[in-house]
């Protein structure tokens, strides 16, 4: 999130992870179950077939031996508890990769995924145990239960096919699924990956993307730095103070549940926009902020216009931002290590000050956002958040997460994630990506910013009933353009 300066790569100064999840049931076009391909057979790439893809790329390094069991984190258990409390909510997230080239056959994709799973032991595990459950290897794991396809009936059926993948339930007992979406064009297809948030957070999901479709570059996640102030009393005091600050804020931010802006249908839609990544980075650098700050400021500007056009009143918009709090030595493949931070977006407070042209208002939004995110990038908050996520007990963790997702506290989920410089599946190339943030029924939408190649791609996931939700990506792009013009030197 707002701290991408400290990354294992020098590239994206963007940031964080995000909470993400689905529910469990049978998949849409689900074939009969089988044991699936054995990863030890080591197929090199999707095998040849009419629609398969081939590549001379070497396979990944030898699979890491999965540990016999792995403890669940307090955040994992919190999402599992939320799923039990609210079975009507889809606690899932994920992403969509868009590829150019002929799609593989379903059997070939299953063989390919089965091979790659050797490097992602969490995805072949299940949760077992009582009060302190653990991730255990799933002896009954089957690739066929997790990898499906949705075939569009011609070019006009693309949106319907994508919506099927976005809304399909998981197979019984599964925490994730992959859908191959094709049929709308001979030389284009998409791969949709969705997972229950108890299984992964945004950083772990980005690593899954790089393992499945990336080309071997190291992770670009922001790694928390090692604190120079290692005194335990100081760190305990900072963590407790930060916890008290946010817990108290969650109690006072809204005294009653606001009226819903629309009646949700439970059916999700995805809308996308994109701008050059260097545009966001350049604006942020010119003002002393980050690309993620620019994204949030543009989101506030887009919401101001959208509210006027759609007739949805937005007296206050508070976004919940997931922040990656892994230590440098922590594995990205297992569970959740994220902290939920509320941030009020300056949607109306800035627009209601008619003391300058629109460009001035856009810069004031950016300054408002930067004033908050600047604290998160500081050493004190970074270390305190890392310690909170590491040591906070289960019940307070669940209570805090419920508060942060409550309509009384937040009404938008906003996350960002650097994905990869490039990606491929066989000879077909990834041309774009879209994050799928978790969408809870009482939020307006979830918005994700992904950095892939030269592009910063924004995705809005919203209920089908959201008024004029399709306008949001274009309004965001226009708001970025306004910030760019306002930031240009005289």
């Amino acid at each position: 999130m707002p701290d991408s300066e400290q990354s294992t790569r020098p590239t994206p100064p963007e940031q964080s992870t995000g909470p993400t999840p689905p529910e469990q049931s049978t998949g849409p076009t689900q074939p009969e179950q089988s044991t699936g391909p054995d990863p030890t057979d080591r197929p090199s790439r999707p095998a040849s077939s009419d629609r398969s893809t081939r590549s001379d790329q070497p396979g990944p390094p030898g699979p890491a031996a999965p540990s016999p069991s792995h403890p669940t984190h307090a955040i994992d258990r919190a999402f599992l508890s939320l799923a039990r409390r609210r079975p009507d909510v889809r606690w899932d997230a994920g992403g969509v990769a868009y590829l150019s080239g002929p799609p593989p056959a379903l059997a070939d994709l299953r063989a390919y995924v089965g091979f790659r799973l050797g490097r992602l032991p969490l995805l072949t595990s299940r949760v077992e145990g009582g009060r302190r459950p653990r991730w255990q290897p799933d002896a009954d794991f089957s690739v066929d239960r997790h990898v499906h396809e949705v075939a569009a009936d011609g070019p006009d059926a693309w949106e319907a096919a994508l919506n099927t993948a976005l809304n399909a339930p998981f197979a019984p007992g599964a925490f994730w699924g992959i859908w191959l979406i094709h049929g709308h064009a001979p030389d284009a297809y998409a791969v949709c990956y969705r997972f229950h948030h108890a299984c992964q957070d945004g950083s772990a999901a980005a690593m899954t993307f790089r393992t499945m479709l990336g080309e071997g570059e190291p992770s670009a996640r922001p790694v928390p730095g090692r604190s120079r102030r290692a005194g335990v009393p100081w760190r305990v005091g900072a963590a407790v103070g930060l916890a008290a600050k946010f817990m108290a804020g969650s109690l006072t931010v809204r005294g009653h549940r606001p009226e819903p802006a629309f009646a949700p249908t439970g059916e999700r839609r995805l809308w996308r926009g994109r701008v050059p990544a260097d545009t966001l980075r350049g604006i942020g650098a010119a003002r002393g902020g980050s690309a993620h700050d620019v994204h949030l400021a543009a989101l506030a500007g887009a919401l101001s216009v959208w509210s006027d056009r759609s007739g949805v009143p937005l007296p206050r918009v508070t976004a919940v931002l997931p922040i990656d709090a892994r230590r440098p030595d922590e594995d990205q493949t297992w569970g959740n290590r994220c902290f939920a931070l509320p941030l009020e977006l300056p949607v109306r407070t800035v627009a209601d000050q008619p003391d300058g042209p629109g460009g001035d208002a856009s810069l004031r939004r950016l300054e408002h956002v930067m004033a908050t995110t600047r604290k998160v990038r500081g050493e004190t908050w970074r270390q305190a958040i890392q310690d909170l996520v590491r040591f906070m007990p289960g019940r307070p963790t669940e209570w805090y997460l419920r508060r942060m997702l409550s309509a009384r506290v937040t009404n938008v989920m906003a996350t960002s994630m650097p994905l990869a410089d490039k990606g491929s599946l066989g000879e077909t190339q990834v041309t774009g990506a879209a994050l799928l943030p978790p969408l809870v029924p009482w939020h307006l939408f979830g918005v994700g910013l992904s950095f892939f190649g030269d592009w910063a791609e924004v995705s809005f996931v919203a209920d089908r009933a959201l008024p004029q939700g399709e306008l949001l990506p274009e309004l965001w792009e226009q708001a970025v353009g306004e910030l760019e013009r306002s930031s240009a030197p005289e």
Side-chain angles (χ1 to χ4, degrees), residues 37 262 311 336 409 464:
F262 58 92
N336 291 266
V409 179
R464 177 171 55 85

Side-chain angles (χ1 to χ4, degrees), residues 465-483:
L466 181 71
Q468 300 188 41
E470 68 280 1
L471 298 179
L472 288 166
E474 182 180 358
L475 294 176
W476 179 87
E477 291 174 350
Q478 292 172 0
V480 171
E482 185 178 335
L483 277 165

Side-chain angles (χ1 to χ4, degrees), residues 86-153:
R86 294 297 304 267
D88 56 314
V89 177
R90 307 174 65 103
W91 299 103
D92 69 276
V96 179
Y98 299 83
L99 297 98
S100 64
L106 177 60
D108 296 338
L109 180 61
R110 285 174 170 165
Y112 176 80
V113 169
F115 173 46
R116 292 280 171 165
L117 285 176
R119 297 178 64 189
L120 297 165
L122 175 63
L123 297 188
T124 56
S125 302
R126 63 187 177 193
V127 177
E128 292 184 347
R131 294 181 59 188
R132 303 290 293 184
R134 300 178 69 88
W135 292 101
Q136 305 275 6
D138 185 356
D140 298 322
F141 178 82
S142 166
V143 172
D144 291 14
R145 287 197 303 120
H146 292 78
V147 182
H148 320 283
E149 71 176 339
V150 181
D153 187 15

Side-chain angles (χ1 to χ4, degrees), residues 6 65 78 83 112 114 122 140 147 177 205 248 251 256 265 309 362 372:
Q6 301 181 15
Y112 176 80
L122 175 63
D140 298 322
V147 182
L251 291 172
H256 65 282
T265 65
R309 294 189 183 179
S362 67
T372 299

Side-chain angles (χ1 to χ4, degrees), residues 240-438:
V240 170
L242 188 66
K245 172 184 174 64
F246 286 116
M247 287 184 175
S250 74
L251 291 172
T252 60
V253 71
R254 283 180 180 155
H256 65 282
R257 179 180 291 271
E259 291 296 324
F262 58 92
T265 65
E267 186 177 348
R268 292 177 286 194
R269 290 287 187 270
L270 169 65
W271 299 290
R272 302 168 60 211
R274 56 163 36 179
V275 298
D278 285 344
T279 299
L280 293 189
R281 292 172 184 148
I283 298 169
R287 311 297 298 187
S290 71
H292 188 261
D293 295 332
V294 179
H295 158 60
L296 292 175
L299 177 61
L303 282 172
S304 178
V305 179
W306 174 81
S307 176
D308 292 338
R309 294 189 183 179
S310 65
V312 176
L314 295 178
R316 183 171 187 172
V317 178
T318 303
V320 55
L321 312 180
I323 297 179
D324 185 14
R326 280 177 174 78
R327 304 188 309 277
D329 60 338
E330 279 192 302
D331 194 338
Q332 289 183 69
T333 65
W334 293 95
N336 291 266
R337 301 293 188 277
C338 59
F339 184 78
L341 174 72
L343 173 71
E344 185 176 353
L345 295 176
V347 174
R348 291 298 178 196
T349 55
V350 176
D352 290 342
Q353 299 173 9
D355 57 351
D360 294 340
S362 67
L363 291 181
R364 285 197 299 274
R365 289 191 179 96
L366 181 56
E367 292 295 333
H368 179 103
V369 169
M370 288 168 49
T372 299
T373 61
R374 191 178 291 118
K375 298 177 184 177
V376 181
R377 286 191 290 271
E379 180 181 341
T380 300
W381 275 36
R382 288 182 64 90
Q383 184 65 63
I385 288 173
Q386 185 180 342
D387 290 337
L388 267 179
V389 170
R390 184 178 183 184
F391 297 115
M392 196 157 75
R395 287 185 179 179
T397 297
E398 182 183 344
W399 180 88
Y400 179 77
L401 186 59
R402 287 204 314 268
R403 292 297 304 177
M404 285 300 102
L405 295 176
S406 166
R408 293 185 177 92
V409 179
T410 60
N411 50 6
V412 167
M413 169 69 72
T415 186
S416 71
M417 180 55 56
L419 291 178
D421 287 338
K422 55 185 176 179
S424 64
L425 202 169
E427 295 178 352
T428 63
Q429 300 299 310
V430 179
T431 60
L435 298 186
L436 301 175

